[in-house]
Amino acid sequence: MHGGARRELAGWLTALAIALVAAGQLAASPRSSLLFRDGDSLVVGLISRAVLDGGGVGEWALSSVLFLPESAVHVALGALLPLDVDGLLAVNAVVNLLGFYGVARLVAGRRRAGAAPVAWSLAALGVFALLVFTEVSPSRDALELASLSLTTTYYAATTIGAVAAVGLARRFLDRPGGGVVLLWALGATAAVSTLTNPLFAAWATVPLLAVLVVLGFSVRSRRPALLLGAALLGGTLLGFLCRIPFSAWIANTGAGYVQPWRWRESLELYAGLFAARLSTPPGVLALVVAAALLALAVVRMRRASAPGVRLVAAVAWVAPALVLLGAVALGTQAARYLQPLAFAPVLALVADPRAVLPSSRLVRGAVAALGALLFLAAGLSVPRLAAAAQAPDADLTCVTDWVDASGRTGAGQFWTVRLPKLHLDDPSRLVQVDHALNGYAWLVDRRDFAVGEVSFLVEDAQTVPWQLPAGVEPVATIECGRYRILDFGETALRLGPAHS
């Protein structure tokens, strides 16, 4: 194995160590609820269960996000690894971070004299992992954005696709003779990413096109910028067209989230989240790191002599700025739409990956020592991650054991039922309904509603009071800690029409 291949292999092994440490930290923090228990972030696990159990692709009612790459990765992991539900989610978190390293390495460019793209890519992943370390809130609405990429649901594939698009554009600009393959790859990345999540257009297409327009004012960069813009825009439009065959799966196109008249509420919401982030030392550290990265991006853009360096450095600060302005202008109300504020500034580190340290015995020794400490931390993180994935949940086990033993079908509301549903021997034994027993077709397989009636209900503190038929009362109540099972025995509760 020659030196370049050894460096690349060492880079991937080091990236794995960083990913294990970051995932272990997240899994051991209160924010692990987003990884293992959040109602939204279990949809990919449910899809994977359906596929691996032989149920096929089903008749899913999804949001505007189709979760196609995320589901494919999770199904592959489930087919290859003898792990339970939480074990697969933990491994998937590590895989997502490895994917981020891979696209950061793509952005860093080819190996060349005087450059250290592997080292700078590891630095980018390390800083991203540092941001994950600062995020401990269990709230999905906290302005803690880096850790969302470790979940299977909160747009990990879109993050990786957006960074990959930047990397492909940079590689094309760095290649003297162009490169038709890179243009096709960029178009394909845009098409697949937009197909699975239209947010790609906001996170990658618009910022990249804005930067390419400015690059186009340079005579030397005009033709490459035009070709890249055409591939990116064409791929994005193709992705939107490819969503048409999946329209039966899309229960919400996302158009309802666009409410520009609520821009003031959006601004107040994000300002409040920003203030809350500043109220803790880890939050202050994260914002200082982000500010330093943005400053570095601006400096590298101004000093860049090569169009590829200028493109990456510009995207590192333009993307967060445009996404934040766009989110406010459109009146959005969710922190997860702002994820480029976390991952885009990190690209400043790989914009111009020049070697800055001379190769000497002292430097090599320091790097070896740092690597040894990192791999030691990774080794300690494996049992930490495994313990979090295997942590007992007596309340959940109480529910799943009762439902599995009953052989009957029950129901529950969205935020209550999804975790027990995922952990059942047969997830279809719990149907997702609203408080009036109408089917709630949201991030669930519509085939569940074919059962027509249920004989028990699962509830917890998040359950909205039930509206049951007059005179219908449970014959028994089974207490399961934070859950309660209302058993109606021989009485059948009819399900109403499904809605999203």
Side-chain angles (χ1 to χ4, degrees), residues 304-330:
S305 58
V309 175
R310 187 175 299 112
L311 173 105
V312 176
V315 169
W317 70 267
V318 168
L322 289 181
V323 167
L324 179 57
L325 290 173
V328 172
L330 296 176

Side-chain angles (χ1 to χ4, degrees), residues 166 169-170 173 208 211-212 215 228 306-316:
V166 177
R170 192 258 175 82
L173 291 173
L208 260 174
V211 173
L212 288 171
L215 282 178
L228 286 170
V309 175
R310 187 175 299 112
L311 173 105
V312 176
V315 169

Side-chain angles (χ1 to χ4, degrees), residues 39-117:
D40 275 346
S41 56
L42 300 180
V43 60
V44 170
L46 287 166
I47 293 173
S48 177
R49 281 289 310 272
V51 173
L52 292 173
D53 291 348
V57 295
E59 299 174 11
W60 288 84
L62 301 176
S63 65
S64 57
V65 185
L66 297 175
F67 309 108
L68 299 178
E70 295 94 336
S71 297
V73 169
H74 203 70
V75 168
L77 292 175
L80 293 172
L81 302 175
L83 298 175
D84 62 9
V85 168
D86 287 347
L88 289 175
L89 291 172
V91 171
N92 212 143
V94 176
V95 171
N96 287 354
L97 281 178
L98 283 176
F100 185 82
Y101 169 76
V103 290
R105 177 64 189 87
L106 181 68
V107 175
R110 295 172 296 159
R111 295 190 305 273
R112 57 193 182 279

Side-chain angles (χ1 to χ4, degrees), residues 393-401 419-421 423 480 482-483:
D393 186 339
D395 300 347
L396 174 64
T397 301
C398 174
V399 173
T400 55
D401 285 351
L419 182 62
K421 181 178 179 66
H423 286 261
C480 286
R482 68 181 185 274
Y483 296 104

